[in-house]
Every structure is written in C-alpha cells, then in structure tokens.
Amino acid sequence: MPELPEVETTRRGVEPLVVGKRLRSIVVREPRLRWPVSLPDSLPGQRLLSVTRRAKYLLFVFEEGVLILHLGMSGSLRVLPDETPYLKHDHLALIFEGERSLRLHDPRRFGSAHWQPVDAGGEALEAAGRHRLLSGLGIEPLDPAFDGAYLKTRARGRRLAVKNFIMDGTVVVGVGNIYANEALFLAGIRPTVQAGRVSLAGYEVLSRRIREVLGSAIQMGGTTLRDFVNQDGNPGYFRQVLNVYDRAGEPCPLCGQPLKGIRLGGRATVYCSKCQRAQGFRP
DNA sequence: ACTGGCTCCTGAGGGC
DNA sequence: TGCCCTCAGGAGCCAG
C-alpha cells in the first residue's frame, strides 16, 4: 500500500536509472490490472524524457506521450538487468537500452497502467492532466496553496467525517489512511467530526500537520536504505514513527489512555478520545 | 451535489 | 505443523 511518500521515493529511486534512455520493448505478462493494460505499438523506440508524479500516479514522460502508472496498494517498481528472472506478479516490464528492465510487481493487481498520447508540440504533463484519472484531482499537499483556508473553503457545508474529507482525492491528493490517522492525531482533531464543523484554526493546524507528516516521510524515504536495482523495490513502513496507526488499544503517546479503534468509511481509524476533540487544541 | 457502500485481488495472520 | 477462514486497503464507480 504505497502512500504518497512511498510513491515519491519510488520516483526518485527509479528516475536516475532510466531517464534519457530509449525504450526497446515492452512485456505485458499480465494485462489484468485494475483496468486492462493496453499500450501502443508506437511506444518502443521512444526516449524517456522524465519521471514525475501527480498524486500517487507516476508519470513516465516519453517523446510522444505519457505512461501513467499507479501502484495500487501492493505495487512496486524495480530496475534490473533484463536477464533477471521474472518473479511471480511481475506484470509489466519496460526494457530500455542497456538491457535495463523496469518491472512492475503487484500481487493484488490494484495498480494500473495507461498511455496518454501527446500531440506533436503539445505539453506532456498538460496532456496527462487531461486524462480521466487525473483530471478531477485536488491540490498536492506539498503545494504552498494547500493551507487551512483552502480546506475550510472546500469543507463548507460538508457533513462527512473530516478524516474521509481529507482522504478525498478531489480535495487534496495523496493523503492515505495511515497519514490521515497520523495527521489528525498530531492536530488533535477527532476523525469523526463533520468536515464542515472544523474551524479555520483547526484546518490551519491540520494542513500543516499533513504537510509535515508527508514531507518527513519522504525525507525518511530518501535516507532509508532502499535499493531499486536489487531486490528491495518495496518500501516498508516506518511503524516506529507512527503514533496511532495500527495501535488501537495501545497507550496514547501523549496521555497514556488506550487508543480507540473504529471503522470510518470502511477504513481502520485510530484516535485518542482524550487528546483528539472536535476542534483540536494542539497548535 | 453529497454520501456511503461496493468492488477488484492476494497474502498475511489468527484460530484451532 | 498445517489448513482454512477472514480481512485489509486505493480509489473509481454507482445507487440512493
């Protein structure tokens, strides 16, 4: 379940290994991902110009279009010599010049791969942004324009739980279940409060915490030993730095009271009923 | 316009 | 030890 920090770490790990290289061939070993994988015959022969990211989508910008990859919740990428045997669940391989093979490994197949062509002279990322999977996405959490005022405006009149609200990708992208739980804990806001009832001050703290928790996880990803060339393309979580996620019943790190575990929108939700209140109170 | 629920899939983990 | 069962989760989609 790569969250945004893992996707960004993957991007940074893979980019220097393949950017600038020409694609030789594609192997689709299992087209049945979340949507059937269908890539054009014109893709081999194109040079890879850059690897960027929008939300949890990785964008491989080629000369004539953009390959849009999503890692779902069990996907990972590795770059290996082409002669390396395939593993079970290696569904897609992009073989670049120099016999480097970029492989998508995804046991649960919630991931996806799409091709978005770019007209000659057109701007690739703009074109990718028009893809149906990307066109409705909200702001990036690390964008400076993502702040309390933005969240407050978007939350006006909305009655869903604030946790579900910040996990809504049309509002802000990349806030998965783990980091939603963590950010709400750090902000002192109870996950079940209606989004429209959280104050501007509450959203100012929350937006800052979201940025911090995602930003520091990306930093950690950069400093954690993670090898995209050998076996370990699969980023692990940093459970030791998580305050509440997967810790229902354990003592609250702040007050010691047992953390409460509930389900919200079908997702595991953990919070401290003493430290997390309707408006939050931690600056 | 909103909201909550369903869905895809496999591996991990619990129970016995 | 080993088998069987349950369940988690990203996010698009749909029904109410």
Side-chain angles (χ1 to χ4, degrees):
Chain A
M1 46 191 121
E3 295 242 9
L4 185 124
E6 284 80 10
V7 176
E8 177 60 20
T9 299
T10 295
R11 188 194 71 73
R12 294 179 186 185
V14 155
E15 179 186 41
L17 302 174
V18 288
V19 122
K21 304 216 175 302
R22 199 168 287 281
L23 190 65
R24 292 282 187 230
S25 59
I26 306 175
V27 177
V28 180
R29 303 180 72 238
E30 172 55 88
R32 295 174 304 166
L33 301 189
R34 173 145 195 204
W35 291 281
V37 176
S38 172
L39 299 175
D41 295 337
S42 60
L43 189 40
Q46 296 186 38
R47 189 178 296 279
L48 178 64
L49 303 177
S50 62
V51 183
T52 62
R53 178 186 62 73
R54 173 71 172 107
K56 293 180 188 171
Y57 292 95
L58 288 168
L59 308 178
F60 290 79
V61 180
F62 287 90
E63 291 165 307
E64 296 170 22
V66 182
L67 179 68
I68 303 170
L69 281 191
H70 197 288
L71 300 179
M73 58 166 289
S74 62
S76 60
L77 294 178
R78 293 172 304 149
V79 178
L80 303 161
D82 189 37
E83 67 262 24
T84 311
Y86 285 100
L87 300 175
K88 189 180 179 185
H89 306 305
D90 278 350
H91 304 314
L92 176 66
L94 303 185
I95 298 126
F96 290 89
E97 59 186 343
E99 276 54 64
R100 280 192 181 175
S101 181
L102 173 74
R103 296 189 186 173
L104 172 66
H105 179 87
D106 184 7
R108 292 188 190 175
R109 294 195 270 122
F110 282 13
S112 64
H114 289 85
W115 175 253
Q116 171 76 354
V118 179
D119 299 334
E123 214 283 303
L125 294 180
E126 202 174 287
R130 273 183 257 115
H131 192 278
R132 68 178 178 93
L133 293 176
L134 305 187
S135 62
L137 292 177
I139 194 171
E140 289 282 332
L142 301 180
D143 185 320
F146 173 66
D147 59 12
Y150 170 81
L151 283 179
K152 183 64 185 168
T153 301
R154 292 296 304 267
R156 188 152 298 139
R158 299 199 57 180
R159 309 179 70 135
L160 80 171
V162 63
K163 175 164 177 271
N164 296 343
F165 172 68
I166 61 172
M167 290 179 70
D168 177 350
T170 68
V171 174
V172 54
V173 301
V175 184
N177 195 38
I178 294 177
Y179 295 108
N181 278 297
E182 294 298 312
L184 286 162
F185 174 76
L186 293 171
I189 298 173
R190 196 170 295 207
T192 52
V193 183
Q194 289 184 0
R197 305 186 85 95
V198 174
S199 67
L200 175 59
Y203 277 127
E204 280 169 350
V205 178
L206 183 56
S207 60
R208 193 178 335 129
R209 293 311 197 183
I210 288 172
R211 232 196 328 273
E212 285 170 4
V213 83
L214 291 171
S216 66
I218 291 171
Q219 297 268 313
M220 288 186 68
T223 58
T224 301
L225 288 179
R226 190 163 306 166
D227 192 345
F228 288 89
V229 180
N230 295 309
Q231 69 282 9
D232 181 20
N234 206 349
Y237 289 105
F238 311 110
R239 191 179 192 275
Q240 63 276 13
V241 303
L242 299 177
N243 285 293
V244 293
Y245 182 78
D246 200 29
R247 294 189 187 279
E250 295 182 30
C252 168
L254 290 179
C255 75
Q257 180 179 298
L259 295 168
K260 216 164 147 66
I262 61 170
R263 294 195 71 79
L264 210 47
R267 309 271 187 290
T269 302
V270 188
Y271 66 96
C272 174
S273 54
K274 188 173 161 195
C275 298
Q276 292 173 258
R277 305 285 183 156
Q279 296 306 328
F281 59 90
R282 286 203 291 282

